């Protein structure tokens, strides 16, 4: 009988532990989010490393340009976003200008967006500059 009592006490404690609200408050979550907004010093290098694996043929890219990272609304807060344009080869032929947007967390590339609707929203007012480093990519 005492074994059953102990078992019921343990079950009550386990269920009671699930009912408590443990975790950061909304203000703490926002502070954590904002603390991750560190300007990406090596954004071009991060982009080139990603594009080397993202593109089927990263060699002889043409018309590459990039914008400097700026804070944009992304998710529940802001993130640094850099926009990129390029003309890469697909099956040996140039496929036309493509655009993408890279978001950064804690100064490092976090996501690369390539869908036209997302890119248009993030890059509608981007100030592009030549990106010769991307045009010089190798495999």
């Amino acid at each position: 009988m005492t074994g059953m009592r102990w078992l019921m006490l343990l079950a009550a404690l386990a269920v009671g532990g699930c009912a408590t609200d443990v975790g950061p408050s909304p203000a703490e979550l926002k502070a954590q989010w904002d603390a991750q907004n560190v300007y990406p010093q090596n954004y071009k290098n991060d982009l080139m490393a990603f594009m080397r694996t993202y593109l089927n043929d990263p060699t002889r890219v043409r018309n590459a340009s990039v914008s400097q990272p700026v804070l944009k609304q992304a998710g529940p807060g802001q993130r640094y976003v850099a926009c990129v344009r390029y003309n890469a080869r697909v099956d040996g032929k140039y496929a036309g200008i493509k655009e993408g947007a890279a978001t950064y967390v804690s100064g490092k590339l976090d996501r690369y967006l390539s869908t036209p609707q997302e890119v248009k929203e993030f890059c509608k007012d981007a100030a592009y500059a030549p990106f010769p480093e991307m045009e010089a990519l190798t495999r």
Side-chain angles (χ1 to χ4, degrees), residues 5-93:
R5 286 183 187 166
W6 281 107
L7 185 60
M8 292 192 55
L9 178 63
L10 282 173
L13 287 173
V15 170
C18 293
T20 60
D21 187 21
V22 177
S25 70
E28 291 171 326
L29 289 172
K30 179 163 179 18
Q32 288 173 355
W33 181 277
D34 291 342
Q36 293 175 334
N37 282 336
V38 177
Y39 186 83
Q41 297 295 328
N42 295 316
Y43 71 96
K44 285 184 178 182
N45 290 336
D46 287 349
L47 264 173
M48 288 188 316
F50 174 77
M51 295 306 273
R52 184 175 284 119
T53 60
Y54 178 73
L55 297 173
N56 289 333
D57 184 359
T59 62
R60 296 185 285 207
V61 171
R62 290 184 181 170
N63 306 320
S65 57
V66 66
S67 70
Q68 288 192 356
V70 294
L71 282 172
K72 300 268 185 165
Q73 189 66 31
Q78 293 188 323
R79 287 287 182 237
Y80 277 101
V81 177
C83 298
V84 63
R85 283 184 182 154
Y86 60 91
N87 189 356
R89 294 184 311 154
V90 176
D91 295 327
K93 298 177 185 174

Side-chain angles (χ1 to χ4, degrees), residues 82-136:
C83 298
V84 63
R85 283 184 182 154
Y86 60 91
N87 189 356
R89 294 184 311 154
V90 176
D91 295 327
K93 298 177 185 174
Y94 286 97
I97 298 291
K98 302 280 186 196
E99 291 184 297
T103 61
Y104 293 84
V105 175
S106 299
K108 299 288 182 196
L109 193 139
D110 181 55
R111 291 182 57 207
Y112 183 79
L113 308 167
S114 60
T115 58
Q117 187 174 7
E118 290 175 312
V119 174
K120 182 178 180 182
E121 180 64 30
F122 282 119
C123 301
K124 62 185 169 198
D125 56 355
Y128 289 94
F131 193 10
E133 299 92 337
M134 187 172 164
E135 294 177 2

